[in-house]
Amino acid sequence: MTYIHDTIVKLQKTSPAQAEFYQAVEEILDSLQPILETNEKYKKHAIIERMVEPERQIMFRVPWVDDQGNVQVNKGYRIEFNSALGPYKGGLRFHPSVNASIIKFLGFEQIFKNALTGLPIGGGKGGANFDPKGKSDGEIMRFCQSFINELYRHIGPTCDVPAGDIGVGAREIGYMFGQYKRLTGNYDGVFTGKSLLWGGSLVRKEATGYGCVYFAQYMLEDQNQSLAGKTCLVSGAGNVAIYTIEKLYELGALPITCSDSSGTLYHETGINLATLKELKEVRKVRLEEYLQHHPDARYIPVSDYPTDGHAVWRFPAELAFPCATQNELTEQDAQTLVANGVIAVSEGANMPSTQDAVEVFLNAKICYGPGKAANAGGVATSQLEMAQNASMQTWSFAEVDEKLKVIMKNIYRNARDTASEFGEPHNLVLGANIAGFRKVADAMIEQGVV
């Protein structure tokens, strides 16, 4: 479609050298062709051209002093992409790989993900190329305070509400909130992912992983199947992977893999959740130490990975849950998963499958839950935290978990029904993208040219 092609070419000129951002835009715009071809109003109102350009891009230096007294400088970002449905909402990522392209791809995906939740939140994302690993608490505190010295001007409970992401947990949120409070004199719900001691929500830590599993459950139920007894591959070893594994066990499935940046762990009898939490949440060490507790497990270092993909996807299983990072699952990985009998893939990470891998899943007509739908549980629970803060209430774990289940069921049904509406009932990528786009686009039209 010439309109989409011309938009992407123009974007490559105005936002050069942002490969991940182009990938996210192209994947979404290609799937929007059916609605763009039948609804001239979106072209008339230049919705696509407006949607691919953030409403605001904030980039700033973050100077801080390490424990040796040396001044360090990182780069900070906040991309406020779209506020048609509500305040900007999206996480902050602290990782050496962070750059403008990564943050823009995440922010663009966040628009559609947040729209799918049915909650009143817009899309945004932020972060810095700072690596918390190996840093002392004092160094992390000083970095977070410096980061907020700039960002505080641009955020607020009815404007932009950041959350955590890779490298940003309750500790980092606490340091940032404390500095925000010091600078503004306000104690409000400007961050989500807060400690339970001072305004956080139960289930927030577990939400993305739990939601990813619930989404898989709903996909399987439509095929008259269940999670019970299914062997599962999970990548990653952070919050998303850990709580994906936890919920899989609760629902009767058997997760046999997880991974970190140094390698992949395979345990045929099932990943020991208690050991995994001890290694990653308490001691924060490499997965290789798992073998000291469970010598019957197998560890594959990154140096032994296949050249065309990731070791974690090369074991026979029925379900796959990519929960690590973007583009971790290649075309060959996807072909191997299908050949090994995988019947469903539910993405816990953002854009973890390459476009070629997605095509393999769609052509095989297996159940495939794209990240913007399957991993929306985290941002959905963030909004539930906002609601609790605004009403000065605290909900029980069971209450929040039940609300999460309902939200994930509604996301699945919305994506499924929209896909069926456009003649591709198995294509939840198309269904999720069109459903999210239509809601945001119609709101933009009603609000005028802003």
Side-chain angles (χ1 to χ4, degrees):
M1 187 177 182
T2 303
Y3 176 39
I4 290 175
H5 176 265
D6 291 348
T7 300
I8 293 173
V9 170
K10 183 179 178 182
L11 189 66
Q12 291 172 340
K13 292 179 179 178
T14 60
S15 301
Q18 296 184 357
E20 293 88 355
F21 180 41
Y22 307 151
Q23 179 185 346
V25 170
E26 187 169 4
E27 182 261 301
I28 289 175
L29 295 193
D30 281 349
S31 66
L32 295 180
Q33 287 192 34
I35 193 170
L36 295 175
E37 290 171 352
T38 57
N39 290 272
E40 189 66 25
K41 66 178 180 178
Y42 298 125
K43 186 174 181 180
K44 176 184 174 183
H45 289 275
I47 292 298
I48 293 298
E49 295 91 331
R50 290 158 61 189
M51 197 175 281
V52 299
E53 288 293 342
E55 294 175 9
R56 189 174 296 105
Q57 301 183 61
I58 304 152
M59 290 178 276
F60 50 97
R61 72 182 182 203
V62 188
W64 57 283
V65 180
D66 66 22
D67 287 344
Q68 286 70 48
N70 300 314
V71 176
Q72 305 290 340
V73 180
N74 289 94
K75 192 164 187 176
Y77 303 86
R78 187 65 179 173
I79 307 297
E80 297 177 333
F81 234 111
N82 193 292
S83 60
L85 299 181
Y88 307 106
K89 190 81 191 76
L92 296 171
R93 175 175 294 191
F94 291 170
H95 192 272
S97 66
V98 164
N99 56 36
S101 177
I102 296 289
I103 297 301
K104 287 177 74 174
F105 119 65
L106 291 168
F108 188 66
E109 291 258 311
Q110 201 78 40
I111 301 170
F112 303 90
K113 181 190 302 185
N114 292 0
L116 286 170
T117 68
L119 304 170
I121 42 179
K125 203 75 178 183
N129 62 344
F130 170 78
D131 189 356
K133 289 183 180 178
K135 304 294 193 302
S136 70
D137 283 352
E139 288 175 321
I140 290 172
M141 180 184 71
R142 291 190 291 276
F143 174 83
C144 289
Q145 289 173 340
S146 181
F147 185 84
I148 290 301
N149 284 345
E150 174 58 35
L151 190 62
Y152 88 94
R153 300 173 174 87
H154 309 287
I155 60 178
T158 59
C159 168
D160 184 347
V161 184
D165 194 79
I166 294 173
V168 178
R171 174 183 56 178
E172 290 76 16
I173 293 292
Y175 291 146
M176 287 189 281
F177 178 82
Q179 187 70 354
Y180 170 86
K181 182 163 61 77
R182 172 193 289 176
L183 293 168
T184 65
N186 296 326
Y187 197 112
D188 52 39
V190 70
F191 287 94
T192 56
K194 299 185 292 298
S195 163
L196 295 175
L197 294 174
W198 43 276
S201 174
L202 291 163
V203 194
R204 178 61 191 90
K205 180 171 67 172
E206 298 88 351
T208 305
Y210 281 16
C212 174
V213 176
Y214 289 144
F215 196 91
Q217 179 183 31
Y218 299 134
M219 289 194 296
L220 291 173
E221 285 177 355
D222 262 3
Q223 307 299 316
N224 296 316
Q225 297 201 52
S226 73
L227 286 164
K230 298 290 192 299
T231 302
C232 307
L233 305 178
V234 180
S235 66
N239 272 352
V240 180
I242 288 171
Y243 291 100
T244 293
I245 289 170
E246 180 170 278
K247 184 55 67 173
L248 285 171
Y249 275 128
E250 286 182 15
L251 297 178
L254 181 69
I256 59 172
T257 64
C258 60
S259 63
D260 61 14
S261 58
S262 61
T264 289
L265 186 68
Y266 167 69
H267 200 166
E268 185 178 10
T269 58
I271 297 295
N272 186 289
L273 185 60
T275 303
L276 180 61
K277 286 185 176 182
E278 172 68 21
L279 296 178
K280 287 300 183 179
E281 294 188 330
V282 180
R283 295 178 53 207
K284 302 184 187 300
V285 296
R286 297 295 186 188
L287 275 178
E288 191 170 7
E289 290 200 22
Y290 184 95
L291 299 183
Q292 297 176 14
H293 305 271
H294 306 281
D296 59 321
R298 179 183 168 196
Y299 182 77
I300 304 96
V302 170
S303 58
D304 291 344
Y305 279 12
T307 57
D308 55 1
H310 196 307
V312 76
W313 309 122
R314 303 304 172 95
F315 299 97
E318 295 153 293
L319 307 177
F321 296 84
C323 296
T325 190
Q326 68 269 4
N327 291 326
E328 60 169 295
L329 198 158
T330 67
E331 179 181 16
Q332 185 57 53
D333 289 332
Q335 291 172 351
T336 303
L337 286 171
V338 172
N340 281 344
V342 160
I343 61 173
V345 176
S346 186
E347 294 183 340
N350 292 302
M351 205 170 73
S353 305
T354 66
Q355 188 55 40
D356 289 338
V358 173
E359 291 301 322
V360 171
F361 295 143
L362 294 179
N363 290 336
K365 290 185 167 50
I366 67 169
C367 295
Y368 170 61
K372 68 179 61 62
N375 72 20
V379 73
T381 306
S382 281
Q383 198 280 337
L384 297 179
E385 181 176 331
M386 292 167 64
Q388 291 172 78
N389 292 165
S391 61
M392 304 290 282
Q393 295 183 65
T394 300
W395 300 334
S396 70
F397 192 100
E399 286 177 295
V400 180
D401 192 29
E402 187 58 37
K403 291 177 188 294
L404 173 62
K405 286 181 188 177
V406 171
I407 290 170
M408 295 310 299
K409 179 175 283 190
N410 289 339
I411 291 173
Y412 169 67
R413 288 178 172 174
N414 193 6
R416 178 200 63 188
D417 295 348
T418 304
S420 296
E421 177 188 344
F422 285 86
E424 297 189 42
H426 75 286
N427 191 342
L428 295 182
V429 175
L430 179 144
N433 287 342
I434 290 181
F437 169 81
R438 185 157 52 187
K439 185 170 184 178
V440 176
D442 290 347
M444 291 172 68
I445 291 171
E446 290 182 4
Q447 293 171 19
V449 180
V450 294

